[in-house]
Amino acid sequence: MMRDTLPLLDLTGFPALKRDALDTLQVNLGYMCNMKCVHCHVAAGPHRTEMMDDENLALIPRVLQARKLTTLDLTGGAPEMHPRFREVVIAARKLGVHVIDRCNLTILYEPGHETLADFLAEHQVEVVASLPCYELENVDKQRGKGTFNKSIAALQKLNQLGYGQPDSGLILNLVYNPQGPTLPPEQQGLEAAYRRELLAHFDIRFNHLFALANMPIKRFGDYLITKGQFHDYLRLLKDNYSADNLANLMCRNLVSVDWQGYLYDCDFNQQLGLRLPDAENKEHRPHLRDLLHRELNGQPIRVAEHCYGCTAGQGSSCSGALNGALDSRALHDAPKAS
């Protein structure tokens, strides 16, 4: 049984936050995934059966249009494993909405997904791909044996379609997560190392690297508790807190939707069950359908101790570091690039 980390995160001195204008709808299509990664804050895997139903799927383009949103961010699990993933993408693109696919890369080689890369390119979907290191041993240790080779082959395939190539308009961004309870290295230097190594050894090109801190929730939180490292990791995050990162937090302009259509301030709050607050009716559980007729501007954001994970050091969000100008010496015990 996976241990609940929320009781260890609930009391907090984290600053109060309020929402700005909403521009991004981040939708978790389900927790099914072809992988089972150690650092996964969703605890996704092949055994998970949760999937968004047709009624909620139909609300997505309606909300995008009603709120005039510019970005649809699809995540999971492996979002591509939802049988109607492609229909959602097509509907959003017809509205002129930018679509992001949070892709684990290995999904491109799963049965039934052989044409996925071509589909993503055809509809100009931005690919945000997890690659926690540019060396085989570290990737396979974190994500499973054989993952690195499949990931490299998938990146090469995406490159062949134009992803990551100059002037193609096809965006390929990579995501780095530390191997354990440490902060990520300074993003700019790490990106340069990734760019150099992947080009030299595999002729792979990409647009940007996002360096993300691991969150002490779900599978990774359970791992920290098992190793007796939970409180030490939380202390590391709090010791490296930077108020400069508050203005750029993703929760200010993004709303997270779970597979049942309920709303959260971010994907991490979703996994902790910290639902979006409703200032007008505390008993009401905000749902995707509510966005058809109401704004979220100015509403309070629910915070807890895990929020230090987004504000430690350079800060991190779904789009990587928040403060590229931060002196990397501020990152206590941060690992060097592998």
Side-chain angles (χ1 to χ4, degrees):
M1 292 291 294
M2 190 172 302
R3 282 157 288 197
D4 182 13
T5 59
L6 182 57
L8 303 176
L9 299 168
D10 210 17
L11 296 176
T12 185
F14 196 85
L17 297 174
K18 287 189 176 181
R19 289 184 154 276
D20 294 329
L22 183 66
D23 59 33
T24 300
L25 189 70
Q26 186 176 71
V27 180
N28 192 313
L29 292 177
Y31 300 155
M32 182 181 292
C33 187
N34 60 312
M35 303 184 69
K36 192 176 180 180
C37 302
V38 173
H39 67 283
C40 183
H41 69 274
V42 182
H47 64 287
R48 302 296 295 265
T49 59
E50 299 93 332
M51 287 279 188
M52 183 171 279
D53 64 21
D54 289 351
E55 182 179 353
N56 285 314
L57 287 171
L59 286 170
I60 294 173
R62 293 178 60 197
V63 168
L64 292 173
Q65 194 166 29
R67 297 270 67 83
K68 297 180 173 58
L69 303 183
T70 58
T71 302
L72 174 63
D73 190 343
L74 297 175
T75 183
E80 308 90 347
M81 294 188 79
H82 194 292
R84 296 190 62 188
F85 168 81
R86 300 190 188 201
E87 294 175 44
V88 174
V89 170
I90 292 171
R93 294 297 294 135
K94 284 182 177 179
L95 295 173
V97 173
H98 178 67
V99 178
I100 298 173
D101 176 29
R102 303 274 167 178
C103 182
N104 65 27
L105 293 175
T106 64
I107 190 68
L108 299 184
Y109 293 97
E110 287 292 313
H113 298 280
E114 294 85 356
T115 62
L116 176 60
D118 298 274
F119 171 83
L120 296 173
E122 178 185 354
H123 295 281
Q124 295 185 304
V125 176
E126 176 182 341
V127 174
V128 177
S130 180
L131 190 71
C133 188
Y134 46 72
E135 293 182 345
L136 183 150
E137 183 179 354
N138 287 336
V139 173
D140 282 9
K141 179 181 178 182
Q142 190 180 72
R143 311 190 72 201
K145 188 175 181 180
T147 298
F148 181 77
N149 288 335
K150 282 186 178 180
S151 297
I152 292 298
L155 289 171
Q156 291 171 334
K157 184 173 185 177
L158 290 169
N159 275 178
Q160 290 168 7
L161 291 168
Y163 274 99
Q165 306 291 0
D167 303 320
S168 70
L170 297 176
I171 302 172
L172 173 60
N173 293 322
L174 304 183
V175 176
Y176 165 90
N177 293 89
Q179 295 288 318
T182 55
L183 291 179
E186 183 268 326
Q187 182 169 287
Q188 187 175 2
L190 185 62
E191 179 178 303
Y194 262 72
R195 202 174 297 282
R196 181 184 65 248
E197 295 297 319
L198 291 176
L199 183 62
H201 297 291
F202 307 106
D203 196 31
I204 288 173
R205 293 165 175 80
F206 62 93
N207 294 96
H208 297 290
L209 175 77
F210 301 156
L212 307 184
N214 290 325
M215 280 291 173
I217 60 180
K218 290 291 185 176
R219 191 174 292 142
F220 186 67
D222 185 70
Y223 165 84
L224 292 174
I225 294 172
T226 300
K227 298 293 184 180
Q229 299 173 329
F230 187 92
H231 295 290
D232 288 341
Y233 183 60
L234 203 58
R235 174 53 55 190
L236 176 69
L237 298 180
K238 296 176 77 170
D239 285 348
N240 284 279
Y241 164 75
S242 174
D244 292 340
N245 294 319
L246 292 174
N248 298 315
L249 289 173
M250 63 184 181
C251 54
R252 290 185 178 275
N253 306 100
L254 171 151
V255 67
S256 173
V257 186
D258 73 8
W259 64 277
Q260 298 178 92
Y262 292 111
L263 305 184
Y264 303 81
D265 289 304
C266 69
D267 191 41
F268 308 124
N269 278 10
Q270 179 186 143
Q271 301 311 315
L272 288 168
L274 296 174
R275 69 188 189 190
L276 191 84
D278 189 327
E280 298 177 2
N281 182 358
K282 293 183 179 180
E283 300 302 317
H284 177 63
R285 187 177 183 184
H287 189 274
L288 189 57
R289 68 176 69 91
D290 296 326
L291 293 179
L292 293 173
H293 54 79
R294 64 180 294 188
E295 298 278 358
L296 299 179
N297 298 30
Q299 287 201 13
I301 294 169
R302 294 191 69 170
V303 298
E305 297 281 85
H306 66 291
C307 297
Y308 288 104
C310 289
T311 52
Q314 298 177 98
S316 68
S317 73
C318 289
S319 297
L322 303 175
N323 185 358
L326 191 70
D327 189 335
S328 62
R329 289 173 297 179
L331 304 183
H332 303 170
D333 302 320
K336 296 185 183 298
S338 302

